[in-house]
């Protein structure tokens, strides 16, 4: 019975995706496969061709699928797509946002399902760069190397060279054009810090100093204030893996994947230390209520509710959260630049390099099953030129991947942009391995189990067993 229900659930999900994504496409034939040239900062030219048999006035609909975290037309990406589409000079196409409303963890599963079929694949999809290698290996994405050769912006230094690594899969091919990157650190409320006697110019040198500050907040700020918040649930998906666990693990000097042996590290002192930090926060009641932190909206609750209302002392999160506080953001908060501080996350004992951050980012990719690949590529070049990229990163609070945007005064004057970019000097990246998404899922289960009361030792043992089952005994190592 359970098996039948699961099959019915998958069938229902596929039908919903077909309705949400596939039906918005025009259903016309795929592009010819020719490569367009001379795009970038110039306007994209109107294409002469149209679908075989279509009327001269018929428009092709180019669909763009992205994650909607629940705020619909108020979302930054929705507004940006509509704005760029309104200025797109090719009048023969219609640009249509086709969002998937989901938690971060569910988004990737729904995207994978949509990309499998020509009936449900959009023309453009936003890919978190950590999923790009996996989706490329599965054959879901179109390699862009030949198209990129004809785009001047890609080869003239406009894009930061290091950022191209994030969209290059293990087969050496490029499967997306990045539009942002990010760094992570400790956001803190200066007003709360001042009230409880902590320095407003906070710069912790070790994990002990982070925990000490949280203990002071718990003791002196009152029961309405959460001392420290980190994503800890499976429902927050990659945010739990990257913003919480990997920031801690890499801060111990340990890594997820041993590049020298090409094996996954399943046991190490660093794993135990990272989990023990989380365990301490739970046992000493320094974190948020589990009812808040274990649901899919935990990140939004922390950034859009608790921080602006002065109910949160410290938040381990990404550089992009300030996008919420702009006039066009989900939770406008004009005072954020004066109230918030952004401290680097220290290594566990303050050892070199002293601080740590994980860098990620998102890209626009063309699915292998897209119906209008040429038109999608034309739009990507226009959408990610300097002007449009700058509008997006300023509105979203992200860090730019374009060197020319990074030098623009409109970008550099944004609060925290300079400091967030500086943290990238010690940036680490997630393993570019196709098994990473599955390993990441086990990380999320491990962290949630510790948050729910399982000991760090037991959670680590279960993680080792699960990862070994996924990657195979011969591909694991203990340190």
């Amino acid at each position: 019975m359970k098996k039948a229900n699961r099959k019915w659930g998958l069938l229902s999900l596929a039908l919903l995706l077909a309705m949400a994504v596939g039906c918005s496409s025009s259903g016309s034939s795929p592009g010819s496969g020719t490569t367009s040239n001379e795009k970038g900062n110039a306007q994209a030219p109107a294409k002469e061709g149209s679908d075989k048999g279509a009327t001269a006035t018929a428009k092709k609909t180019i669909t763009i699928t992205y994650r909607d975290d629940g705020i619909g037309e108020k979302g930054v990406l929705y507004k940006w797509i509509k704005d760029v589409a309104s200025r797109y000079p090719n009048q023969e196409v219609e640009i249509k946002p086709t969002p998937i409303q989901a938690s971060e963890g569910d988004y990737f599963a729904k995207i994978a399902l949509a990309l499998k079929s020509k009936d449900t694949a959009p023309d453009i999809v936003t890919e978190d760069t950590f999923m790009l290698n996996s989706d490329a290996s599965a054959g879901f994405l179109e390699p862009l190397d030949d198209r990129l050769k004809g785009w001047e912006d890609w080869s003239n230094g406009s894009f930061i060279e290091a950022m191209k690594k994030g969209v290059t899969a293990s087969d050496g091919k490029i499967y997306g054009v990045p539009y942002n990157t990010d760094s992570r650190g400790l956001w803190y409320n200066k007003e709360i810090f001042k009230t409880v006697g902590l320095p407003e110019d906070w710069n912790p040198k070790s994990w002990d100093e982070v925990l000490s500050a949280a203990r002071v907040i718990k003791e002196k700020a009152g029961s309405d204030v959460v001392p420290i918040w980190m994503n800890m649930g499976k429902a927050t998906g990659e945010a739990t893996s990257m913003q919480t666990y990997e920031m801690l693990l890499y801060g111990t000097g340990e890594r997820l994947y041993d590049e020298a042996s090409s094996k996954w590290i399943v046991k190490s002192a660093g794993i135990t230390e990272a989990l023990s930090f989380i365990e301490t926060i739970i046992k000493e009641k320094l974190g948020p209520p589990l009812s808040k932190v274990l649901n899919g909206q935990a990140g939004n609750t922390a950034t859009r509710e608790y921080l602006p209302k002065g109910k949160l002392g410290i938040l381990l999160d990404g550089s992009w959260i300030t996008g919420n506080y702009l006039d066009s953001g989900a939770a406008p908060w004009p005072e954020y630049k004066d109230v918030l501080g952004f401290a680097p996350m220290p290594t566990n004992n303050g050892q070199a390099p002293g601080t740590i951050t994980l860098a990620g980012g998102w890209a626009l990719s063309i699915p292998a099953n897209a119906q209008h690949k040429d038109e999608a590529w034309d739009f990507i070049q226009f959408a990610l030129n300097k002007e449009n990229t700058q509008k997006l990163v300023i509105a979203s609070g992200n860090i730019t991947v374009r060197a020319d945007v990074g030098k623009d005064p409109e970008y550099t004057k944004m609060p925290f942009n300079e400091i967030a970019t500086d943290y990238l000097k010690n940036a680490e990246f997630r393993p570019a391995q196709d098994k990473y998404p599955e390993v990441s899922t086990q990380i999320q289960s491990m962290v949630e189990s510790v948050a729910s009361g399982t000991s760090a030792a037991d959670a680590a043992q279960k993680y080792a067993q699960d990862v070994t089952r996924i990657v195979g005994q011969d591909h694991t190592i203990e340190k």
Side-chain angles (χ1 to χ4, degrees), residues 139-174:
F140 293 160
L141 302 178
E142 183 83 354
L144 301 178
D145 301 72
D146 288 342
R147 297 179 187 274
L148 287 163
K149 289 177 183 175
W151 189 22
E152 186 179 356
D153 282 25
W154 191 255
S155 56
N156 69 0
S158 295
F159 280 82
I160 299 171
E161 202 62 31
M163 295 297 105
K164 296 179 181 178
K165 294 180 181 177
V167 291
T168 304
S170 55
D171 64 1
K173 296 179 180 178
I174 298 171

Side-chain angles (χ1 to χ4, degrees), residues 254 263-269 464 468 473 476-479:
E254 195 54 85
K263 294 182 178 181
W264 293 91
I265 302 169
V266 294
K267 285 186 180 179
S268 72
T468 300
Q473 183 75 47
T476 65
I477 189 172
E478 298 180 9
K479 290 196 171 183

Side-chain angles (χ1 to χ4, degrees), residues 1 19 46 76 87 95 99 173 250 282 288 337 385 389 397 442:
M1 187 64 181
M19 294 172 66
V76 170
R87 293 181 285 104
I95 308 300
K173 296 179 180 178
Y250 283 52
I282 295 299
K337 55 183 176 294
N385 66 23
T389 298
Q442 300 311 317

Side-chain angles (χ1 to χ4, degrees), residues 122-204:
D123 295 302
I124 299 172
V125 61
T126 59
E127 283 270 330
D128 192 325
T129 52
F130 92 95
M131 286 296 299
L132 192 138
N133 189 57
S134 176
D135 286 346
S137 297
F140 293 160
L141 302 178
E142 183 83 354
L144 301 178
D145 301 72
D146 288 342
R147 297 179 187 274
L148 287 163
K149 289 177 183 175
W151 189 22
E152 186 179 356
D153 282 25
W154 191 255
S155 56
N156 69 0
S158 295
F159 280 82
I160 299 171
E161 202 62 31
M163 295 297 105
K164 296 179 181 178
K165 294 180 181 177
V167 291
T168 304
S170 55
D171 64 1
K173 296 179 180 178
I174 298 171
Y175 288 89
V177 179
Y179 59 83
N180 66 30
T181 186
D182 45 48
S183 61
R184 288 150 180 80
L186 295 162
W187 293 100
Y188 63 99
N189 186 310
K190 291 181 181 178
E191 293 179 345
I192 293 175
F193 269 52
K194 183 178 181 180
T195 299
V196 301
L198 290 168
E200 293 179 67
D201 186 17
W202 188 48
N203 191 11

Side-chain angles (χ1 to χ4, degrees), residues 405-416:
V405 173
K407 299 172 184 173
D408 193 291
E410 286 299 309
Y411 173 80
T412 56
K413 76 178 183 181
M414 294 295 293
F416 303 110

Side-chain angles (χ1 to χ4, degrees), residues 92-109:
E92 295 182 358
V93 301
E94 176 189 8
I95 308 300
K96 184 173 184 177
T98 51
I100 291 178
Q101 191 174 96
S103 66
E104 188 164 294
D106 289 343
Y107 174 73
F108 303 121

Side-chain angles (χ1 to χ4, degrees), residues 25-47:
S25 297
S26 64
S28 53
S29 62
S32 64
T34 55
T35 302
S36 302
N37 297 315
E38 299 178 358
K39 306 297 190 304
N41 291 332
Q43 291 184 339
K47 293 184 73 68

